[in-house]
Amino acid sequence: AQERRWRRRDKERQSAEARELRESRDNLNAHFEQLRTELSSHPERAGQLNAIRYLFDRTRDDQHQNHWSSYDWRGLAADFGDDLARLFRDAAQNSWRLNRPTLRSEGAPANETAFATILGLAGLDIETRETPSILKTLSPYEVEIASRHAVCELNGFPAWFPTLYEHHREAVAAFLFAQIRYELTGDAAENRGNDVLGDASWSGQWAWDDLGPMLIELLHEHEPAHSAALSKVLRIVRGASGPDAAIAAVARSKSQSVAEVSHLGQWFAVWMGVEPDAAIPPFARHLAALPAKQAIELAMHTAVALFGGDFNAGPVARPAFMQPRSLRRLYDILHQYIRRADDIHRAGSGVYSPGLRDHAQEARDSILDRLRDQPGKEALLALREIATSHPGREWLSGLLRGKAEREGDFEPFEPQEMRYLGEYFERRPRSARQLGDTARLRLVQLKEAAEDSRSLDAGVLDIADAPAVRELVHARLAAHSDNAYGVSSPASPSLSLLLSGVGYAATQPVVTTTSEDTLAATWIDALAVGNTSHRGVLAVVHMARSKRWRWPWSPPPTLEEATAAARAQWEAREDQFPTLDDVEVIGIDLTRITPAEGKTDIWD
């Protein structure tokens, strides 16, 4: 019985809607000529006519309510005929040029949009969809009128606005900045809103490069009254392509003059985003000088500004502070003021709205995830220091071990690489890390050829100094390159050889020396310069003869002694080179090569 009542009511509703539509269609067709004459005489009055307002409402449906211009005028033809549909289209297209919307900066009321402006947005959408090239030929006055309509759109900017900006960049950027300046320069008691600023920070990325420098100059002169408005401005500045120096200058000044904690946290974050080494020590000193409650609040605001945590208000800082050394220092500072003992545990507490503390503790804990996901030894060392300084948190050791295992493993093989592996029994390098592996492999192959198979030419027994060793290694690397890398000999005497990737960006230095030469620690510096694989490769070659004259009581070092000395030097200086994951010291003994038959040696 209930279902029958529902069906009956639905049928009655549909009948009423059909009757209303039929009556409206008949009424509009009866007054069609009068309506067309009035629009021809006074097209500027289109927004005041009930008939046009009714047709506009009929173009919209429940699925397209996010923008004023979300509609389909062609759908009117099915219900009202082509003549009325085209009459509405022409009225909307003509109305936007004849309507000059009043802006908030000119006294327009908040949260209200006149129907004439909404109709103009519909007309602009129709015209730009059917004739996209019209945006390029608009006059300066029409550009201003179109921009006025655009900032009145609902939920962001209309779809045609980025194209208008592309064709009239200076004019549109100046218009947007004028509206943003008005919204920012009011005092705390005067709520001017931030409609244009909010739309620009949310969906106006195409204008950030022009707005960023202008907003930096404005921030030098004026501090926004509200923290939310400052966040939106700083997100635009962060995403713009302006230089870091300009951002650092205003952030450094604001961190010394701003007193509001919510603002100060954002300014310290912005400063750390471009100059972490210069900004972190003043931040720590400022926290130490504040009362406990204010210091905790400042630490929380800074953490959220650095790492985000709120969907609607992401980070405002550029990523220069993401290097492991800076993250390690921030971890200690934030844990000192955002203590784990005071964390809010929401599990099982039901529905809640996260607050500043929730976002701050989430941002603080995200430092470990960022260190875990950053490749390289420097991040591993930072994690190890954290695990050592927090002995009660055993899971940190597991995090550290997992990172080391992942990064110590081989990079995955592609199908074509498996084919190459099956044919040549090695991997063709295609990345910086693989180039480092190949450099090590070539020296190991040279060592095996000299010591195990003894397949090298007997002429290597005549090698008597470091330049000749360098030529031997150079020839070996070049002969087995298979066009996967190039080999060059830089002019610097400390850097023996440099491998460069072919078809991929990578450089791998290889240092060679002899067992008789006294190893200087400069070879480690040479391996660190321009090393994209973060692996060092040192070849220590033991020669059969030497041009060096020695006292009888000072025998030359053995190959084992020379390689042990090199490894000891690396272990002593390893902490100074976080960009080098490890150094492979490969000793190559050339004295095992069988001499040429019949050749007389002076030492025999």
Side-chain angles (χ1 to χ4, degrees):
Q2 188 178 39
E3 289 179 357
R4 286 196 298 271
R5 287 195 298 271
W6 287 344
R7 286 195 296 269
R8 183 177 64 254
R9 292 173 184 174
D10 186 58
K11 186 176 181 180
E12 292 174 354
R13 179 183 57 80
Q14 292 178 3
S15 300
E17 290 178 353
R19 183 172 58 255
E20 179 185 356
L21 176 61
R22 184 172 58 255
E23 292 174 354
S24 299
R25 181 175 59 245
D26 295 342
N27 184 47
L28 287 172
N29 286 324
H31 296 84
F32 176 77
E33 292 299 332
Q34 179 182 352
L35 184 61
R36 183 167 60 179
T37 302
E38 187 170 359
L39 288 173
S40 300
S41 304
H42 302 283
E44 72 280 0
R45 296 180 183 176
Q48 304 173 9
L49 300 178
N50 292 333
I52 299 299
R53 178 63 181 265
Y54 174 77
L55 291 174
F56 174 82
D57 291 338
R58 294 291 305 185
T59 63
R60 296 171 63 82
D61 56 46
D62 295 336
Q63 298 180 357
H64 300 87
Q65 298 292 333
N66 293 329
H67 296 284
W68 290 125
S69 53
S70 295
Y71 69 99
D72 180 17
W73 71 270
R74 298 180 185 276
L76 294 173
D79 294 330
F80 299 94
D82 289 339
D83 291 339
L84 276 173
R86 296 184 182 279
L87 179 71
F88 170 78
R89 181 200 62 183
D90 295 340
Q93 287 188 175
N94 293 331
S95 67
W96 76 264
R97 289 182 174 84
L98 304 174
N99 174 54
R100 183 183 175 86
T102 304
L103 305 173
R104 286 289 305 275
S105 58
E106 298 170 343
N111 301 322
E112 290 185 18
T113 305
F115 176 70
T117 302
I118 298 174
L119 184 64
L121 282 167
L124 273 164
D125 193 73
I126 293 173
E127 192 163 359
T128 54
R129 287 180 184 273
E130 298 184 354
T131 314
S133 60
I134 192 67
L135 292 171
K136 187 176 182 179
T137 60
L138 294 181
S139 66
Y141 175 77
E142 290 173 327
V143 170
E144 181 196 356
I145 296 299
S147 300
R148 285 174 172 265
H149 280 83
V151 297
C152 295
E153 178 61 284
L154 190 67
N155 296 322
F157 296 122
W160 49 264
F161 200 34
T163 307
L164 179 69
Y165 169 81
E166 180 182 349
H167 293 310
H168 308 276
R169 186 164 183 164
E170 293 184 4
V172 177
F175 173 83
L176 289 174
F177 177 70
Q179 305 311 309
I180 294 174
R181 183 186 182 93
Y182 164 77
E183 294 175 354
L184 291 177
T185 51
D187 55 30
E190 183 182 5
N191 183 16
R192 295 184 173 183
N194 50 25
D195 299 333
V196 179
L197 174 60
D199 291 341
S201 65
W202 173 52
S203 61
Q205 290 84 351
W206 35 268
W208 284 2
D209 286 346
D210 285 330
L211 292 176
M214 293 188 284
L215 289 173
I216 290 177
E217 293 298 324
L218 177 61
L219 290 171
H220 274 292
E221 304 169 1
H222 184 81
E223 179 74 10
H226 301 284
S227 176
L230 177 62
S231 298
K232 295 173 182 177
V233 173
L234 294 178
R235 282 202 300 277
I236 295 176
V237 171
R238 174 185 184 268
S241 60
D244 289 347
I247 299 176
V250 64
R252 188 185 309 112
S253 174
K254 293 290 186 177
S255 64
Q256 299 171 1
S257 60
V258 172
E260 175 62 35
V261 173
S262 60
H263 289 221
L264 187 60
Q266 296 187 62
W267 282 119
F268 268 120
V270 170
W271 190 11
M272 294 179 205
V274 291
E275 291 182 350
D277 293 336
I280 293 178
F283 173 62
R285 291 194 297 268
H286 193 89
L287 285 173
L290 288 176
K293 185 176 181 180
Q294 294 183 16
I296 293 173
E297 185 179 359
L298 176 59
M300 291 192 296
H301 281 290
T302 306
V304 174
L306 282 171
F307 300 100
D310 188 348
F311 179 79
N312 296 316
V316 299
R318 288 187 174 182
F321 72 97
M322 289 294 186
Q323 54 185 316
R325 183 178 64 256
S326 300
L327 290 174
R328 169 73 180 92
R329 298 167 68 184
L330 284 170
Y331 186 86
D332 288 339
I333 294 173
L334 295 182
H335 271 77
Q336 181 180 354
Y337 294 95
I338 311 174
R339 300 188 306 167
R340 298 182 64 85
D342 301 330
D343 282 359
I344 302 174
H345 301 285
R346 301 284 192 179
S349 61
V351 180
Y352 70 96
S353 296
L356 176 62
R357 174 69 200 200
D358 297 276
H359 296 311
Q361 65 193 44
E362 181 181 353
R364 175 205 63 198
D365 293 338
S366 69
I367 295 179
L368 293 176
D369 297 333
R370 297 171 193 275
L371 287 173
R372 178 199 62 197
D373 297 337
Q374 281 193 34
K377 178 182 177 181
E378 191 173 6
L380 183 70
L381 293 177
L383 267 179
R384 187 171 67 184
E385 292 176 5
I386 292 175
T388 303
S389 60
H390 296 78
R393 302 169 67 188
E394 289 77 7
W395 62 273
L396 286 175
S397 300
L399 187 69
L400 177 66
R401 183 170 55 254
K403 175 180 173 60
E405 291 173 351
R406 286 193 307 273
E407 297 186 12
D409 199 0
F410 287 105
E411 294 179 343
F413 279 74
E414 298 292 336
Q416 63 271 19
E417 292 179 315
M418 293 299 297
R419 248 184 104 180
Y420 191 89
L421 176 66
E423 185 174 354
Y424 297 99
F425 300 100
E426 65 177 65
R427 182 179 204 163
R428 182 180 177 88
R430 299 180 183 274
S431 67
R433 182 177 176 184
Q434 295 171 15
L435 182 60
D437 293 336
T438 301
R440 174 190 174 277
L441 175 63
R442 292 291 178 264
L443 293 181
V444 170
Q445 291 171 340
L446 177 60
K447 176 181 177 67
E448 292 175 348
E451 300 176 6
D452 297 335
S453 64
R454 302 183 182 184
S455 58
L456 294 181
D457 186 86
V460 300
L461 294 174
D462 296 329
I463 293 177
D465 52 21
V469 167
R470 178 172 173 167
E471 291 179 7
L472 171 66
V473 176
H474 185 286
R476 185 78 181 187
L477 290 172
H480 295 79
S481 68
D482 195 21
N483 200 33
Y485 59 84
V487 187
S488 60
S489 300
S492 174
S494 62
L495 182 59
S496 294
L497 301 169
L498 184 67
L499 275 61
S500 302
V502 175
Y504 57 96
T507 54
Q508 174 64 49
V510 176
V511 174
T512 62
T513 185
T514 67
S515 60
E516 291 192 351
D517 289 330
T518 303
L519 288 174
T522 54
W523 65 269
I524 305 178
D525 301 88
L527 287 177
V529 175
N531 192 330
T532 57
S533 73
H534 306 290
R535 296 193 64 176
V537 183
L538 172 68
V540 181
V541 179
H542 187 52
M543 304 175 298
R545 65 178 72 238
S546 174
K547 293 181 179 180
R548 179 175 301 172
W549 184 85
R550 288 180 177 272
W551 293 104
W553 55 81
S554 61
T558 64
L559 180 61
E560 291 75 14
E561 292 172 344
T563 54
R567 292 191 182 97
Q569 288 180 343
W570 164 243
E571 292 173 0
R573 299 191 61 194
E574 181 177 3
D575 292 340
Q576 303 174 20
F577 295 91
T579 57
L580 280 179
D581 294 346
D582 196 12
V583 169
E584 186 83 12
V585 181
I586 302 174
I588 303 173
D589 189 356
L590 298 181
T591 63
R592 300 186 184 184
I593 298 298
T594 305
E597 185 177 354
K599 183 175 180 180
T600 303
D601 195 307
I602 191 173
W603 300 106
D604 288 345

